[in-house]
């Protein structure tokens, strides 16, 4: 499924949400529950707000951001990735802002340095925002209630949930043609609809539905996935003067093993499932 996990097996216009959190760094070795690597201040930037790194995301995103609101998040893959980037930039505050995913990828949010929200890099999105080098590969997974078989041949009789503005929604509309699609603004709404039998399945990033399934106490499962060849990238405001510096940070974290460690600790172990073992099916 993705290069990070292959290495572990062998080494996705609304206003900004009102909630945000500014976290002072307690000491040089940790931010929240995140271990830090590299040299503080070795890759300086010009932040949107002086003295802090402002990072946008879309919640909930278990495994990536562990908590339902900015003030409850202390760790997760992307939270700790952001913490490491702030540290490398030499900044003493990390501000997390919860925003609409649809507005984010449409370039409608502002006053931030970067966004980390499991965002697939696409040419259409790159017209209005900029992307980093890829940091994670992702395909499209199917999530259903435990005990209910998923048969791709019966999609024409199924109602599926997709998330507004995502590549999963675009993939479903273009390739799968279910009986009906219900569009939701976030993962929480899709999961609630599935549990209430309002939809038969959720079509969304494998890396995200696995996180949701792991939080369901066994009620939800991810039986299949579709190969798309997508990769996640950090999203920058169009024309960001910090793009090269952030790319350097990401490449450094890839090379020194930081991202592999975060993937193992916050994704693979938390999911309890190896995404490379989930069967691939064809549209």
């Amino acid at each position: 499924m993705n290069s990070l996990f292959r290495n572990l097996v062998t080494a996705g216009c609304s206003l900004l949400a009102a909630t945000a959190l500014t976290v002072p760094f307690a000491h040089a070795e940790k931010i929240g529950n995140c271990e830090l690597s590299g040299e503080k201040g070795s890759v300086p930037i010009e932040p949107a707000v002086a003295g802090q790194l402002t990072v946008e995301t879309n919640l909930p995103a278990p495994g990536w951001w562990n908590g339902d609101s900015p003030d409850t998040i202390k760790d997760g893959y992307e939270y700790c990735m952001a913490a490491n980037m702030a540290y490398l930039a030499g900044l003493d505050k990390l501000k997390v802002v919860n925003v609409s995913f649809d507005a984010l990828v449409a370039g409608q949010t502002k006053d931030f340095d970067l966004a980390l929200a499991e965002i697939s890099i696409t040419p259409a999105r790159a017209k209005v925002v900029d992307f980093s080098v890829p940091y994670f590969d992702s395909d499209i997974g199917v999530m259903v209630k435990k005990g209910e078989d998923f048969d791709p041949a019966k999609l024409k009789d199924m109602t599926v949930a997709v998330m507004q503005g995502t590549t999963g929604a675009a993939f479903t509309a273009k390739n799968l043609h279910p009986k009906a699609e219900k569009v939701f603004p976030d993962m929480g709404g899709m999961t609630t609809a599935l549990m209430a039998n309002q939809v038969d399945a959720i079509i969304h990033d494998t890396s995200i539905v696995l996180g949701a399934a792991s939080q369901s106490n066994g009620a939800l499962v991810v039986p299949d996935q579709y190969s798309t060849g997508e990769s996640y990238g950090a999203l920058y405001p169009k024309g960001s003067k910090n793009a090269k510096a952030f790319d350097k940070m990401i490449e450094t974290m890839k090379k020194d093993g930081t991202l592999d460690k975060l993937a193992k600790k916050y994704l693979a172990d938390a999911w309890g499932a190896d995404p490379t073992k989930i069967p691939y099916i064809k549209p």
Side-chain angles (χ1 to χ4, degrees), residues 37-38 41 83 166 237 251 262:
S37 62
T166 63
E251 292 288 14
L262 294 179

Side-chain angles (χ1 to χ4, degrees), residues 12 100-108 117-132 135 138 140 163-171 204-205 208 230-239:
S100 156
F101 186 87
D102 198 30
L104 176 60
V105 297
Q108 296 171 349
E118 310 91 67
I119 307 167
S120 294
I121 302 168
T122 70
R125 291 172 177 171
K127 293 178 180 179
V128 293
V129 297
D130 289 335
F131 284 103
S132 72
Y135 65 87
S138 179
I140 299 296
M163 187 169 151
Q164 184 176 0
T166 63
T167 54
F171 181 86
H204 199 42
D205 295 26
I208 300 177
E230 296 175 2
S231 295
Y232 292 160
L235 181 151
Y236 309 144
K238 196 68 177 175

Side-chain angles (χ1 to χ4, degrees), residues 21-23 25 31 45-56 79 81-97 111-114 116 242 246 249:
L21 174 67
T22 301
V23 183
F25 296 177
I31 301 172
I45 67 166
E46 297 181 38
V49 178
Q52 70 182 36
L53 186 70
T54 306
V55 182
E56 294 185 341
Y79 177 89
M81 182 179 172
N84 272 274
M85 295 174 79
Y87 181 74
L88 290 171
L91 299 174
D92 292 326
K93 293 180 181 179
L94 171 62
K95 184 176 182 179
V96 180
V97 183
D111 299 326
F112 69 103
D113 295 304
L114 72 154
L116 295 169
N242 297 314
F246 287 140
M249 295 176 189

Side-chain angles (χ1 to χ4, degrees), residues 100-232:
S100 156
F101 186 87
D102 198 30
L104 176 60
V105 297
Q108 296 171 349
T109 64
K110 55 185 177 180
D111 299 326
F112 69 103
D113 295 304
L114 72 154
L116 295 169
E118 310 91 67
I119 307 167
S120 294
I121 302 168
T122 70
R125 291 172 177 171
K127 293 178 180 179
V128 293
V129 297
D130 289 335
F131 284 103
S132 72
V133 293
Y135 65 87
F136 192 93
D137 298 335
S138 179
D139 291 312
I140 299 296
V142 179
M143 187 163 72
V144 297
K145 295 178 73 172
K146 185 177 180 179
E148 296 184 8
D149 294 330
F150 176 74
D151 184 348
K154 295 181 179 179
L155 272 168
K156 65 181 184 300
D157 300 318
M158 299 174 67
T159 298
V160 304
V162 296
M163 187 169 151
Q164 184 176 0
T166 63
T167 54
F171 181 86
T172 299
K174 181 179 179 180
N175 300 293
L176 303 185
H177 312 297
K179 175 183 177 181
E181 297 175 33
K182 290 190 176 182
V183 181
F184 294 83
D186 53 42
M187 189 67 210
M190 292 196 293
T191 303
T192 299
L194 180 59
M195 292 297 295
N197 297 315
Q198 296 170 354
V199 298
D200 301 305
I202 293 172
I203 308 294
H204 199 42
D205 295 26
T206 303
S207 58
I208 300 177
V209 290
L210 278 173
S214 72
Q215 299 288 310
S216 72
N217 296 317
L220 304 174
V221 295
V222 182
D224 299 293
Q225 62 182 327
Y226 296 96
S227 178
T228 64
E230 296 175 2
S231 295
Y232 292 160

Side-chain angles (χ1 to χ4, degrees), residues 15-54:
L15 297 174
L16 291 176
T19 54
L21 174 67
T22 301
V23 183
F25 296 177
H27 51 79
E29 289 75 31
K30 247 182 182 183
I31 301 172
N33 297 326
C34 307
E35 299 290 341
L36 305 175
S37 62
E39 180 183 351
K40 182 178 181 180
S42 58
V43 190
I45 67 166
E46 297 181 38
V49 178
Q52 70 182 36
L53 186 70
T54 306

Side-chain angles (χ1 to χ4, degrees), residues 61-84:
W64 303 93
W65 301 82
N66 290 328
D68 293 330
S69 62
D71 60 340
T72 63
I73 297 170
K74 300 299 180 184
D75 57 23
Y77 181 105
E78 288 179 335
Y79 177 89
C80 289
M81 182 179 172
N84 272 274

